[in-house]
Amino acid sequence: MGIFGWDIMRARLRGALTAAVAATVVLGATATGAAGDSSSPPRLPQPTGHVARGALGQHEMFIVPVYWSGSAPAPLDDDAITSMVAGAGSYYSGVSNGQMTAKLGWASGWQKLALTETEAASCDRIAIRDKVRDIVGGGRPTDHLIVYLNNESACDFTDLESVGPSAFGDGYTISNGVMSETLFRRIISINAGATATGSLDCVADGQPSPLSSSCTYREGTEPWDPTSTAPYGKVGMPQADSLWRFGLVADTDFPRIETGTNTTVTIAPLTAASGKQGFYFDDGGYRYLVDYRVPAGQDAWIDDRTATIGPKTWTDPGGGVIVHRQLLGEELGPRELIDFHADAVTADTKRHPGLERAESYTSPDGHWSLRVGAASATSATISVSFPSLSKVQRWSGADRFATSAIISTKNYSTGVPVAYVASGQVYTDALSGAPVAGKNRGPVLLVDTDAVPDVVAAELTRLRPRKIVIFGGPATITPAVEAKLGSYTTGEVERWSGADRFATSAAIAAQSYPAGVDTVLVASGRVFTDALSGAPVAGRDRGPVLLVDTDAIPSVVAGELRRLSPRRIVVLGGPATISERALAVLKGYAGTVERWSGDDRFSTSAEITAHAYAPLVRTAFIASGRVFTDALSGSPVAGRDRGPVLLVDTTSIPDSVRAELTRLKPRRIVIFGGPATVSTGVQAELAAYLP
């Protein structure tokens, strides 16, 4: 629950505003608004359809002044409020080429809320919200409900905004004594999901630094963005991340840079009408958002002043290449401005945070580095490198589906004989399918239950497979998706499935392996991690993976074992996942039954590779032992390339895996998945195991 229970809110403590902004509270004569001065404001307009990312179109402000004790305060000045909203609307119209506008919907008369003594004394924001919602209801993503308080002393904030649409479908703000054009600009941005911005002040070894382990965040002090309190008295362009969230910049014009892969990117300034307007990359638990400002258009004022910082005089605040960071997994959290020209004076002005032409910066841990090459009024060229990470490759996308597409793109050519499709929600089918894909040199792509993600559709279009095989039944991948997949191949779409996960593993084996295989690997159908390291072994050795229950061999799997008649069965995992009783039953289906296991999922992966691979492997593949989806598409590649898959934790390499990497002496290491599943810290540590 957030501050408002259901809504994720951005909070600002009383006193954080500048005196100029705090003084813009307007109290005046009559507040009729669009709805007139009524004792009960009208219900908000109801949603009529989806608005792209909740921002494009006309934004309307609906203001409900409330109090709970004494007589109603003086009415708000409707003309002044209309002018403030119009000013905010003019700003967004200018930066969006007319695609975003704003107006006052209505401002009601004062509403007296029946709060309990406890609710009033604590400024119970949930109670205030719920009582106002009982009156006006909810609205559309481009509607903004603003509850206005008359400087209530019990309330320790100035203004609070929902980040993105609230649980009621519209944007929501509660303002305690603040009414200004700055506020309305901030409301539109934050209610659209473009979160608050502020400055980051860091100290390293007692000296000011762009980044360090000791940093203080000051909200609202970012020089340009409309979510700030406009410390320079003017506001610039929204940052590229905001423009993307508004729907004004396409995904392709604000791309993700793969962490660990050195590259050079040319971007246009934020004021440009088109083109690539920024990029981002992930490292060390943060997302770094990069864009470029020049003194033109809405940013024309940024070089009107100068500031002396150290031995050099800079434009104040100026522009250049600007970098914000945001915590990964907290996309609705604040965006922190990195000041590349930090000094000992903590101030909202007299600063120059951006990187200029020929300047460079390397993060304290050496994970990433930026260097600005050519820079002009029309573009900046930025070299992005990862000094301590680039020795280790990473194959990842924005999500599990995109990661499967990226892995496929890097490893398979157009015209593959077969592409395999598995659920990105239910893992078991792909565990048995991965060895088949490895044996037959085809990719495994992940889809949703009832949809083919766009990134996967694009990869299938590129691949042009001669056949598509679906792993799993219609409960995991619907017939509608099966029909859709037919448009990506000139051949058949087959489905290999059974009544459950165990039967599906038997069906996949029956479709793919003749009787008399040398080795069958047996894994738990309840605990998935052991099969992640086992599947590449099966793919290399052209043997199946069959799933069993913890304490029993399902009859359909027993039947398939009788048909396969293997010389050897290898059980993956310890007695907690496949019991000694189940292992004893398996001895009736092969001459030799052995168990490969360790104390946990990580040591089990090391034990599997220790049994299956000799030192000096060409490539060792690394996957998360916590998030399984990335390895589902990666295991077939590992099987094809005869390389092991080892499991690591999100932010650490277990000792058993370290020992196994030392023994294997790989010539190359590839990570499946992004920094949220295997951190860049782990990526940097893995480099030590390469020659």
Side-chain angles (χ1 to χ4, degrees):
M1 291 285 195
I3 295 172
F4 273 77
W6 297 326
D7 305 341
I8 299 175
M9 304 298 292
R10 161 206 163 272
R12 202 219 273 289
L13 295 178
R14 177 179 294 280
L17 289 176
T18 64
V21 175
T24 58
V25 178
V26 179
L27 297 175
T30 304
T32 57
D37 187 10
S38 62
S39 59
S40 180
R43 304 284 290 184
L44 293 179
Q46 295 304 296
T48 56
H50 176 70
V51 179
R53 296 197 185 115
L56 300 185
Q58 185 173 73
H59 292 250
E60 293 191 60
M61 305 290 161
F62 300 93
I63 302 172
V64 182
V66 303
Y67 69 107
W68 46 81
S69 62
S71 302
L76 300 183
D77 185 336
D78 187 52
D79 290 339
I81 295 172
T82 299
S83 177
M84 295 173 191
V85 175
S90 177
Y91 167 78
Y92 281 103
S93 181
V95 302
S96 70
N97 195 26
Q99 295 183 74
M100 294 172 65
T101 59
K103 71 172 186 176
L104 178 65
W106 46 251
S108 79
W110 285 93
Q111 305 296 306
K112 189 167 186 176
L113 303 183
L115 298 184
T116 67
E117 185 176 337
T118 300
E119 289 169 342
S122 63
C123 186
D124 189 326
R125 297 189 286 271
I126 295 175
I128 295 168
R129 178 204 63 188
D130 289 348
K131 291 181 186 299
V132 173
R133 287 295 186 184
D134 286 343
I135 300 171
V136 301
R140 304 161 297 191
T142 49
D143 293 336
H144 305 268
L145 176 62
I146 298 135
V147 176
Y148 179 76
L149 312 180
N150 187 34
N151 287 300
E152 292 287 350
S153 59
C155 305
D156 62 350
F157 58 86
T158 54
D159 56 292
L160 310 165
E161 289 82 29
S162 66
V163 180
S166 71
F168 294 86
D170 54 7
Y172 180 76
T173 295
I174 182 168
S175 174
N176 188 26
V178 176
M179 196 73 73
S180 67
E181 182 178 321
T182 298
L183 174 67
F184 290 119
R185 281 197 303 260
R186 189 160 59 245
I187 285 171
I188 291 172
S189 188
I190 295 175
N191 284 174
T195 56
T197 60
S199 301
L200 201 61
D201 297 317
C202 303
V203 176
D205 298 325
Q207 299 298 316
S209 173
L211 282 176
S212 74
S213 59
S214 177
C215 296
T216 301
Y217 171 70
R218 293 184 296 115
E219 187 180 317
T221 59
E222 205 257 30
W224 317 277
D225 197 79
T227 63
S228 77
T229 57
Y232 286 84
K234 298 180 181 179
V235 66
M237 285 290 293
Q239 58 189 270
D241 177 58
S242 297
L243 296 174
W244 176 83
R245 289 172 187 265
F246 296 160
L248 294 167
V249 169
D251 291 354
T252 52
D253 290 332
F254 188 53
R256 174 179 173 273
I257 301 300
E258 185 170 313
T259 304
T261 301
N262 299 343
T263 188
T264 299
V265 185
T266 299
I267 58 176
L270 292 169
T271 48
S274 61
K276 189 175 294 182
Q277 290 186 284
F279 60 89
Y280 65 93
F281 61 91
D282 298 337
D283 173 69
Y286 285 94
R287 174 156 292 173
Y288 292 86
L289 311 161
V290 183
D291 50 38
Y292 180 49
R293 290 185 186 273
V294 298
Q298 187 65 41
D299 281 335
W301 58 272
I302 64 177
D303 65 349
D304 288 350
R305 292 158 299 277
T306 59
T308 300
I309 304 168
K312 188 168 181 178
T313 298
W314 299 88
T315 55
D316 174 28
V321 173
I322 310 300
V323 182
H324 294 78
R325 72 175 188 178
Q326 186 177 43
L327 276 170
L328 276 176
E330 295 189 18
E331 285 74 15
L332 300 182
R335 296 170 295 184
E336 304 170 336
L337 172 67
I338 298 174
D339 188 347
F340 291 110
H341 303 106
D343 61 13
V345 179
T346 299
D348 297 347
T349 59
K350 297 183 179 179
R351 50 204 296 234
H352 187 86
L355 282 174
E356 295 290 353
R357 184 172 60 84
E359 286 195 300
S360 62
Y361 176 76
T362 300
S363 63
D365 55 15
H367 285 191
W368 57 271
S369 180
L370 301 177
R371 179 174 179 79
V372 183
S376 69
T378 57
S379 66
T381 299
I382 306 158
S383 297
V384 188
S385 60
F386 301 89
S388 63
L389 304 180
S390 54
K391 285 183 69 175
V392 175
Q393 296 180 42
R394 185 188 292 271
W395 297 345
S396 68
D399 56 26
R400 62 190 63 185
F401 307 108
T403 293
S404 75
I406 288 289
I407 291 172
S408 174
T409 300
K410 289 182 175 293
N411 290 281
Y412 299 94
S413 301
T414 299
V416 291
V418 58
Y420 298 91
V421 172
S423 168
Q425 308 294 346
V426 179
Y427 310 138
T428 47
D429 301 332
L431 293 177
S432 293
V436 180
K439 173 174 74 77
N440 294 336
R441 309 181 76 81
V444 170
L445 290 162
L446 303 183
V447 299
D448 223 333
T449 304
D450 55 2
V452 180
D454 290 344
V455 67
V456 174
E459 177 58 8
L460 283 167
T461 300
R462 184 193 71 83
L463 285 169
R464 295 204 301 271
R466 296 197 288 274
K467 182 172 77 169
I468 291 176
V469 173
I470 298 171
F471 296 139
T476 55
I477 298 176
T478 65
V481 170
E482 181 178 359
K484 175 70 173 175
L485 291 171
S487 64
Y488 300 107
T489 179
T490 56
E492 296 179 327
V493 176
E494 299 178 9
R495 186 188 290 271
W496 297 352
S497 67
D500 56 25
R501 62 189 63 186
F502 308 108
T504 293
S505 77
I508 292 171
Q511 290 278 356
S512 306
Y513 301 94
V517 296
D518 182 77
T519 302
V520 171
L521 300 187
V522 171
S524 168
R526 307 291 180 185
V527 180
F528 309 134
T529 48
D530 301 333
L532 296 179
S533 292
V537 179
R540 180 197 65 181
D541 296 346
R542 309 180 75 80
V545 170
L546 289 169
L547 303 183
V548 300
D549 220 335
T550 307
D551 205 40
I553 312 302
S555 59
V556 67
V557 174
E560 181 59 13
L561 283 168
R562 282 192 293 271
R563 185 193 70 83
L564 288 167
S565 187
R567 178 187 65 83
R568 181 178 67 153
I569 291 175
V570 173
V571 174
L572 304 175
T577 56
I578 299 176
S579 70
E580 291 295 338
R581 177 182 172 185
L583 186 143
V585 173
L586 288 170
K587 290 180 178 179
Y589 298 100
T592 301
V593 176
E594 55 190 278
R595 186 193 293 274
W596 297 351
S597 69
D599 294 335
D600 55 27
R601 62 189 65 187
F602 307 106
S603 58
T604 291
S605 78
E607 191 70 17
I608 289 170
T609 64
H611 277 86
Y613 299 92
L616 300 175
V617 295
R618 181 177 180 274
T619 304
F621 297 91
I622 303 296
S624 168
R626 305 293 180 185
V627 180
F628 313 133
T629 48
D630 301 329
L632 298 180
S633 294
S635 289
V637 178
R640 181 199 67 179
D641 293 353
R642 310 178 72 80
V645 170
L646 286 161
L647 304 184
V648 298
D649 219 334
T650 307
T651 59
S652 64
I653 305 172
D655 290 343
S656 58
V657 176
R658 290 181 182 277
E660 182 60 5
L661 283 167
T662 300
R663 185 191 72 84
L664 286 168
K665 296 182 175 61
R667 285 174 281 171
R668 182 176 72 143
I669 293 176
V670 175
I671 297 171
F672 297 139
T677 56
V678 177
S679 72
T680 49
V682 168
Q683 185 173 358
E685 287 186 60
L686 288 168
Y689 297 95
L690 291 171

